Amino acid sequence: MDKILRINMGGQGGPEIKTEPMGDYSGLAGRAMTSGIVSKEVPPLCHPLGEDNKLVIAPGMLSGSLAAMSGRISVGCKSPLTGGIKESNSGGQPSQVLARIGYAAIVIEGKPADDTLYKVFINKDNVEITPDNSLKMLGNYDLVDKMKAAHGDKIACISIGPAGEMKMSAASIAFTDMELRPTRHAGRGGTGAVMGSKGVKVIVLDGEGTQARSPKDPDKFKEANKAFTAGLKKHPVTGEGLPAYGTNVLTNILNEAGAYPTNNFSSGRFDGAGKISGETEAETETARGGNPTHGCHKGCVIQCSGIYNDKDGNYLTKQPEYETIWAHGGNCGIDDLDAIAMMDRLDDDYGLDTIEMGATIAVAMEAGLAKFGDAEAAIGFVKEVGKGTPLGRVLGNGAAVTGQVFGVERVPVVKKQAMPAYDPRAVQGIAVTYATTPMGADHTAGYAVTANILGVGGTVDPLKPEGQVELSRNLQIATAAIDSTGMCLFIAFAILDQADTFQALLDLISGFTGAGMTGDDVTELGKSVLKNERNFNAAAGFTAADDRLPEYFKKEALPPHNVTLQVTDEELDSVFNW
Amino acid sequence: MDKSNTDKIDIHLTVEIKPEFLSLFFRLLANGFNIKAEIGSSLKEFFLDRLGLVETYLEDRVQTIFLNGKAVDNIETALITEDSTIALSAAMPGLVGATFRRGGRYAPMREKISYDTEVNDHRHQEGLVFLKLFNMIAKEMGPEILKRGILVKGEDLADLFKNREILSGCVSVTYDNQIQNPDNFDDTFLQEKRVLLKILS
Ligand code: SF4
């Protein structure tokens, strides 16, 4: 992983391919790499779909090695949804394969002369880019089947569906899983639209003849990897809860807490939650011959994913995760697991962010386009998006646009990106992160380890009201750092609770890179990523006024606890005073 | 199931089931059921004395506890009132999952919905509470609780029996001291009844 691949789609005689040394970006990976390149090379005021925007795809620091959990990949660009910087990350196989081939990043830049669609093929010896208009408007599933037929089943694909080609702001980029299905997505922020604007339909990675990346200190690395894996396996969340039920184990909990956004964030409780809970989902999968315990890439030892079969026992989709079940389920008043799984399949095929789509459909329901709970209508809306009908074009551009078109006031977005599955009135700490992360409302932007473990920003006194602000700041720093390692964020629970597992992670990184790594280094890495991102947004015109939740959260009390948002603007503005 | 404050029992139903089918009844535990408790006692007393949990299990496994929908940090000061809803869960993933853990460092993030001792009901008399068991806790405590018996609404049970797979796992069904053949089991008599359900496996 010592070079950067640049593909200029706007070259004189067609796309131009160039391989460069790491230069200024030496030592960077994952989110640090994507945000580093975007903040340095993309003019903040450029049009997200124009020639000056760049799409950066970067494996994590440990991707391609034998380190457990290290296969996450980051995608960065200026977001067509938020207008700010975006890092969206995904699981799947491509991170491992791209890293083994040796690229620390693929940068797609410029703008093609016409609407020709291209396929990129990369193996250890070669990079080819060929026009292929036969791929136009193919869904991700058919597209990957076609790639398999042409290149065999040892490949990994990065692709867009029709939504990306239509440059919709809810369009995702798909990454194939271990079974070569396009089920993992860099979902948030419309990265798929940027890939579509560059005219690239698919990047095929062939890792034939490549080796696992070797660590600088093999003994230390091996020992640390063993301790790290054992730590993950012994923790109740990473070793039991997530493998058994996946992230959807949260449905019953959030619902019990009255923090489960229901019917477009109008209540914190959903009567049908039990029917779509993780427990019910796992039971359904097992009964139908699916599998509730499955990894999204080789080397995942937590295995929070699964296989969801239809009533006849045929594969329908991967196990939809908590956010998806919520977005297409409770947030739309829908308690039919099969209908939700069908929407997950359609989203993956068209290449759409499930959170944005679910939130958008709920806004459409609020506007009166269908009734809450009408699963058939909801599926119909997703299909409209896939076909690109006029209504589909509106919905495919997200909740903010849909709310504006249909005159809805209750639109749960920050920086135009839809909020995920936690009502910020009930869990006010998450409100701070939703409001202030440079990414737009995002739950993963504060998902990781905290101050007291990493030694970031001192120890938080939980009794002080500013605890929420400090926690959010520290979590955002730690998340930015973990996103740069390529580690799945779900490792956070084990390293949060078990000091020896956190030490094993630090040893794993230093065993691999040969450089010592301390908690302070992690902090500095996270801070520098956030600084780059915030500077980009400021130059793109973002101000403190963009670090706010919609006003109705302060005015409308959320049942059952009847709470309103109490976090003050001053508190929000102090998050990045470090 | 809607919680109900009556301890009237219309039907005593005992089901003997093959062990591999037992987990199909855990949905009833997640939906909630009534169980007797001493009103005015602390949650800790309820867990140890009524549910028979041992302290190490409570500390290590039951990481997330709700009383009337509010996350509880201190189970010694949280008091049970008549008709309380209590929910138990293992440690949860995600930042938000972690915020609900008892006394965790993320607790400030959900302070607006944290349980604050607001009642002082020391009547110490027998009453009913509504208990929900989620995820690993249902798996671990479920068999014993189901063996001892839970009070559920007949409709919820009938709904569960719609999954005929359950009946194929039943060895016997006994109600009001009459043993029934599971193959001929007709759940219509359960409607609008309060059922004391015991599951043996
Ligand atoms: S824990 Fe889940 S998201 Fe993380 S790498 Fe494994 S399957 Fe993928």
Side-chain angles (χ1 to χ4, degrees):
Chain A
M1 239 174 66
D2 54 359
K3 54 193 175 185
I4 292 173
L5 173 67
R6 287 187 186 262
I7 304 175
N8 177 10
M9 299 303 295
Q12 288 282 310
E16 290 167 357
I17 296 166
K18 204 166 58 175
T19 299
E20 284 178 353
M22 299 285 279
D24 288 352
Y25 305 116
S26 181
L28 301 184
R31 179 168 166 188
M33 175 68 88
T34 62
S35 289
I37 294 181
V38 174
S39 62
K40 186 151 185 251
E41 299 183 16
V42 174
L45 293 173
C46 75
H47 194 288
L49 303 175
E51 63 177 341
D52 290 333
N53 200 5
K54 300 190 181 196
L55 185 76
V56 186
I57 301 171
M61 193 188 291
L62 298 183
S63 292
S65 75
L66 295 178
M69 312 300 304
S70 62
R72 304 285 300 188
I73 194 163
S74 291
V75 178
C77 59
K78 174 169 174 168
S79 163
L81 183 72
T82 68
I85 197 165
K86 174 55 63 181
E87 187 268 353
S88 183
N89 75 52
S90 174
Q93 282 296 100
S95 192
Q96 306 282 27
V97 181
L98 186 60
R100 285 176 190 202
I101 292 175
Y103 290 107
I106 301 174
V107 184
I108 305 176
E109 46 199 30
K111 191 169 182 158
D114 55 30
D115 63 356
T116 302
L117 213 47
Y118 289 86
K119 171 175 96 173
V120 180
F121 178 85
I122 304 173
N123 65 13
K124 71 179 179 24
D125 306 312
N126 211 2
V127 179
E128 279 168 22
I129 177 160
T130 44
D132 190 347
N133 283 327
S134 74
L135 307 179
K136 277 199 173 171
M137 294 306 270
L138 280 186
N140 280 312
Y141 273 88
D142 284 348
L143 173 72
V144 169
D145 278 348
K146 219 169 160 173
M147 295 303 110
K148 209 173 3 177
H151 302 284
D153 58 6
K154 300 280 183 290
I155 54 169
C157 296
I158 302 171
S159 63
I160 56 169
E165 286 185 58
M166 291 186 277
K167 303 183 195 85
M168 292 170 169
S169 292
S172 63
I173 296 178
F175 294 79
T176 48
D177 59 22
M178 291 195 288
E179 287 74 31
L180 203 41
R181 291 170 177 147
T183 59
R184 310 291 140 179
H185 288 246
R188 311 240 62 196
T191 55
V194 178
M195 189 154 156
S197 74
K198 304 294 181 201
V200 176
K201 177 75 175 174
V202 60
I203 301 170
V204 181
L205 304 167
D206 182 350
E208 188 71 33
T210 59
Q211 307 283 329
R213 293 171 64 213
S214 37
K216 288 269 180 336
D217 182 342
D219 291 340
K220 183 176 183 184
F221 177 82
K222 207 169 150 194
E223 206 47 44
N225 203 19
K226 230 165 93 187
F228 182 57
T229 304
L232 293 173
K233 290 222 182 253
K234 79 170 184 214
H235 190 275
V237 171
T238 49
E240 293 179 77
L242 280 171
Y245 306 110
T247 52
N248 194 23
V249 69
L250 284 170
T251 293
N252 277 329
I253 306 305
L254 269 292
N255 197 51
E256 190 59 27
Y260 187 78
T262 302
N263 293 359
N264 192 30
F265 287 75
S266 59
S267 169
R269 282 255 170 88
F270 178 46
D271 284 344
K275 292 188 179 157
I276 57 174
S277 69
E279 290 91 323
T280 306
E281 190 181 15
E283 188 185 301
T284 307
E285 286 169 356
T286 306
R288 293 177 179 179
N291 179 5
T293 309
H294 196 62
C296 72
H297 72 267
K298 286 183 191 143
C300 165
V301 295
I302 299 177
Q303 302 200 308
C304 79
S305 192
I307 303 290
Y308 191 99
N309 288 348
D310 65 15
K311 286 191 173 111
D312 301 323
N314 299 316
Y315 171 84
L316 176 61
T317 188
K318 93 286 190 181
Q319 172 178 294
E321 60 172 324
Y322 170 62
E323 311 292 339
T324 304
I325 297 271
W326 160 78
H328 281 307
N331 193 41
C332 295
I334 293 170
D335 62 8
D336 177 345
L337 260 185
D338 285 324
I340 297 167
M342 173 55 80
M343 286 187 266
D344 182 67
R345 163 70 183 232
L346 291 171
D347 286 342
D348 282 356
D349 200 33
Y350 299 144
L352 289 164
D353 174 19
T354 55
I355 297 176
E356 196 66 43
M357 281 320 298
T360 301
I361 291 170
V363 168
M365 287 175 162
E366 172 120 11
L369 270 63
K371 287 204 159 46
F372 284 108
D374 187 342
E376 213 174 301
I379 291 172
F381 287 148
V382 182
K383 288 184 175 168
E384 299 252 0
V385 177
K387 283 189 218 139
T389 64
L391 173 62
R393 293 270 182 169
V394 172
L395 301 175
N397 277 292
V401 165
T402 300
Q404 197 170 5
V405 169
F406 293 103
V408 176
E409 190 192 339
R410 193 188 286 129
V411 181
V413 297
V414 178
K415 302 183 179 74
K416 300 205 182 104
Q417 179 168 288
M419 283 176 199
Y422 316 89
D423 198 294
R425 286 163 289 192
V427 190
Q428 306 226 341
I430 201 91
V432 179
T433 302
Y434 281 175
T436 59
T437 158
M439 298 296 151
D442 192 347
H443 61 296
T444 59
Y447 221 159
V449 268
T450 186
N452 301 356
I453 292 280
L454 289 179
V456 184
T459 306
V460 172
D461 178 352
L463 299 176
K464 287 200 183 142
E466 65 266 33
Q468 295 173 357
V469 168
E470 308 232 327
L471 280 170
S472 176
R473 172 194 308 142
N474 296 328
L475 287 162
Q476 289 192 54
I477 291 170
T479 302
I482 290 199
D483 281 345
S484 303
T485 64
M487 288 283 173
C488 172
L489 274 176
F490 294 153
I491 64 168
F493 319 122
I495 60 178
L496 165 76
D497 290 339
Q498 298 165 180
D500 53 339
T501 311
F502 180 56
Q503 188 55 46
L505 173 66
L506 292 179
D507 291 347
L508 190 65
I509 297 172
S510 55
F512 186 76
T513 60
M517 184 133 207
T518 63
D520 282 350
D521 297 331
V522 177
T523 307
E524 278 319 304
L525 175 63
K527 274 187 180 176
S528 75
V529 172
L530 280 171
K531 265 184 204 152
N532 277 341
E533 292 171 350
R534 285 181 54 77
N535 287 345
F536 182 95
N537 280 0
F542 283 74
T543 66
D546 296 291
D547 287 348
R548 300 287 182 264
L549 296 190
E551 203 194 4
Y552 74 87
F553 285 102
K554 285 188 175 167
K555 292 182 173 168
E556 279 183 24
L558 180 76
H561 297 307
N562 296 321
V563 274
T564 53
L565 185 71
Q566 303 291 322
V567 182
T568 65
D569 291 353
E570 290 69 34
E571 284 179 284
L572 294 177
D573 291 342
S574 68
V575 168
F576 292 100
N577 293 340
W578 56 44
Chain B
M1 174 180 172
D2 295 329
K3 57 187 189 176
S4 162
N5 58 5
T6 170
D7 57 0
K8 178 169 87 77
I9 299 170
D10 299 316
I11 294 172
H12 289 258
L13 185 73
T14 302
V15 179
E16 193 184 344
I17 192 147
K18 294 177 196 154
E20 63 271 30
F21 287 79
L22 184 63
S23 64
L24 295 174
F25 285 90
F26 293 169
R27 200 179 291 187
L28 287 176
L29 304 178
N31 288 349
F33 55 91
N34 281 119
I35 191 164
K36 285 194 176 164
E38 190 172 322
I39 304 308
S41 67
S42 72
L43 274 182
K44 186 170 182 182
E45 288 164 336
F46 172 66
F47 295 145
L48 298 182
D49 303 342
R50 284 299 170 123
L51 296 185
L53 302 183
V54 291
E55 253 183 87
T56 45
Y57 181 79
L58 204 48
E59 282 312 309
D60 295 345
R61 302 294 286 174
V62 190
Q63 294 269 323
T64 314
I65 299 172
F66 294 96
L67 179 57
N68 298 325
K70 295 196 166 185
V72 174
D73 290 307
N74 187 341
I75 56 173
E76 288 178 25
T77 56
L79 300 180
I80 292 176
T81 55
E82 180 75 40
D83 222 13
S84 288
T85 297
I86 301 162
L88 309 185
S89 161
M92 285 293 100
L95 168 63
V96 178
T99 66
F100 290 119
R101 284 198 214 167
R102 279 196 279 150
R105 57 174 70 88
Y106 296 118
M109 297 186 76
R110 44 87 173 154
E111 63 180 354
K112 292 285 179 283
I113 55 165
S114 295
Y115 177 82
D116 198 7
T117 308
E118 64 218 349
V119 285
N120 203 357
D121 187 343
H122 287 294
R123 283 181 291 151
H124 287 281
Q125 64 187 41
E126 200 72 352
L128 279 182
V129 293
F130 193 65
L131 185 62
K132 299 179 184 182
L133 305 179
F134 298 139
N135 50 68
M136 306 306 292
I137 303 300
K139 235 183 209 177
E140 290 162 359
M141 287 174 56
E144 181 58 28
I145 295 257
L146 287 167
K147 196 161 107 187
R148 279 197 252 154
I150 59 174
L151 199 51
V152 291
K153 258 174 42 176
E155 290 80 352
D156 286 359
L157 202 49
D159 201 41
L160 195 75
F161 280 124
K162 284 204 177 75
N163 175 3
R164 304 310 285 183
E165 199 202 337
I166 286 195
L167 287 172
S168 71
C170 290
V171 178
S172 69
V173 177
T174 309
Y175 61 85
D176 294 342
N177 295 325
Q178 309 263 336
I179 296 184
Q180 307 287 323
N181 180 348
D183 294 338
N184 304 331
F185 185 73
D186 176 2
D187 56 46
T188 45
F189 75 100
L190 295 170
Q191 298 296 329
E192 290 177 29
K193 296 287 194 309
R194 303 266 304 156
V195 183
L196 181 67
L197 173 74
K198 290 187 182 175
I199 309 282
L200 311 174
S201 68

